[in-house]
């Protein structure tokens, strides 16, 4: 309390300057939740508290609960239970009020005292929503950067876990944090990331995915994701010990793991918790599912329309029998069914959870049966498309799953033009493209797993 009173006495009017109270009242003139409350007088001059009641904590404003028409000011200020005081001019005070702080100022003073009285509106810590946890910690990041920092530090109890923070956005003033493990991070990577973040000039930022696009804006367009987005603290702690950097922004529950190479998108945190033989088996299943998802529809097109002589006679006859009465070419019916499956997948994602499973199941079964009975597509194609849809959901990372859904259309187009040769050509182009990608100085097809022993 003595610190508050001493600081209030130091607030004086600067020559040729507009009073802070008038500037704040003008800046928040059309804000119905803005308050400029008269709480008393100091040395014969009125003392005001300026704040947004939608952001300030009512419990931390206990000294305003008394009778404003009377009462001793020193007594009410003694009930303040804040943590620290800061003095600032108009611009600093304006940002502070927008962030939930309160400004204590005299009627004619050009500066004010910033009291940290913010009450952040946030949800409690729960389980991950976008990542199913089969084994391991069940907590997930939330929209508070301070809480997320605590979750990371609860995983790594070491002073070598460092945090670098800055503020980005001329309107949002969003806090951005960069985490790294001192003994594992590459100094060049750390310096490059800090320079890139410091150079960002933007009005507002709301999510980590938006921040990644801005961070990579000077690079050419990449179809494949260049950073893993996760809401699991255990995965973040593993990546930190492997020498990666983690970026989080205040207001987003997702952390960016940088750099992320192609193989990282196929590993799950549960791989660390199970038997190594089981891990290798699951990885084999995932990569097998990747090849089935990318190339099975293209193989169907190639083997039933162009390279028919490659099949055994029995298979060719069975495929021809299944397409009896189908009026469309193989490429058209395959394209039609792939688009229809993507429609059903998107509908299941966008609909409310209470009806999404019912709609997708009924839509898939009824629509598939009706299409077969109408002789629009063949029975064999239904099996191929169903297997393709199932294997797409085995992908660990959602962003990589979206990329595969796009790539299979290009491979099907290549198969319709040149058959098996077109599939091989598309596969070669894909490998060459992946070989040319770099994610923050690291080749995209390089595995970072051997660096796990770097931290001792």
């Amino acid at each position: 309390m003595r610190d508050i009173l001493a600081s209030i006495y130091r607030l004086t009017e600067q020559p040729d300057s507009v009073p802070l109270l008038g500037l704040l009242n003008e800046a928040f003139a059309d804000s119905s939740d803005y308050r400029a409350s008269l709480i008393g007088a100091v040395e014969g001059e009125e003392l005001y508290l300026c704040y947004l009641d939608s952001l300030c904590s009512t419990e931390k404003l206990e000294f305003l609960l008394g009778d404003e028409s009377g009462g001793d000011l020193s007594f009410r200020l003694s009930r303040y239970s804040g943590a620290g005081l800061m003095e600032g001019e108009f611009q600093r005070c304006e940002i502070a009020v927008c962030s939930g702080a309160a400004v204590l100022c005299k009627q004619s003073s050009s500066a004010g005292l910033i009291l940290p009285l913010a009450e952040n509106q946030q949800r409690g810590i729960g389980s991950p929503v976008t990542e199913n946890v089969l084994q391991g910690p069940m907590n997930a990041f939330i929209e508070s950067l301070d809480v997320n920092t605590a979750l990371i530090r609860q995983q790594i109890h070491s002073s070598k876990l460092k945090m670098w923070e800055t503020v980005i956005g001329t309107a949002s003033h969003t806090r951005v944090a960069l985490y790294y493990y001192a003994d594992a991070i590459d100094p060049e990577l750390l310096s490059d990331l800090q320079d890139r973040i410091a150079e960002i000039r933007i009005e507002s930022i709301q999510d980590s995915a938006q921040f990644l696009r801005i961070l990579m804006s000077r690079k050419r367009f990449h179809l494949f994701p260049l950073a893993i987005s996760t809401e699991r603290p255990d995965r973040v702690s593993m990546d930190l010990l492997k020498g990666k950097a983690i970026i989080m922004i205040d207001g987003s529950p997702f952390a960016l793991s940088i750099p992320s190479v192609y193989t990282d998108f196929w590993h799950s945190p549960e791989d660390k918790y199970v038997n190594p033989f089981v891990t290798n088996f699951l990885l084999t299943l995932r990569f097998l599912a990747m090849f089935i998802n990318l190339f099975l529809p293209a193989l169907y097109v190639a083997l039933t329309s162009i390279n028919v002589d490659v099949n055994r006679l029995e298979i060719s006859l069975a495929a021809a029998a299944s397409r009896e009465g189908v009026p469309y070419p193989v490429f058209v019916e395959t394209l039609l069914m792939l688009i229809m499956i993507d429609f059903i997948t998107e509908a299941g994602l966008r609909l409310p959870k209470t009806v999404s499973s019912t709609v997708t199941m009924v839509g898939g079964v009824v629509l598939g049966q009706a299409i077969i009975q109408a002789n629009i597509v063949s029975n064999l194609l239904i099996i191929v498309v169903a297997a393709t849809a199932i294997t797409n959901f085995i992908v660990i990372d959602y962003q990589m799953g979206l990329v595969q859904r796009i790539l299979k259309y290009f491979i099907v187009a290549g198969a319709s033009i040149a058959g098996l040769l077109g599939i091989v050509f598309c596969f070669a182009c894909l490998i060459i493209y992946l070989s040319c990608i770099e994610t923050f100085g690291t080749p995209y097809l390089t595995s970072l797993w051997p660096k796990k022993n770097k931290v001792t």
Side-chain angles (χ1 to χ4, degrees), residues 218-229:
R218 61 182 181 181
K219 299 290 184 180
R220 65 179 184 273
F221 171 76
H222 291 297
L223 178 62
F224 286 84
L226 300 180
I228 290 179
S229 179

Side-chain angles (χ1 to χ4, degrees), residues 291-310:
F291 283 103
I292 292 176
N293 181 263
L294 289 177
F295 299 108
L296 185 59
L299 285 173
Y300 172 80
V301 173
L303 296 179
T304 55
S305 61
I306 297 180
N307 302 103
V308 182
D309 54 335
V310 176

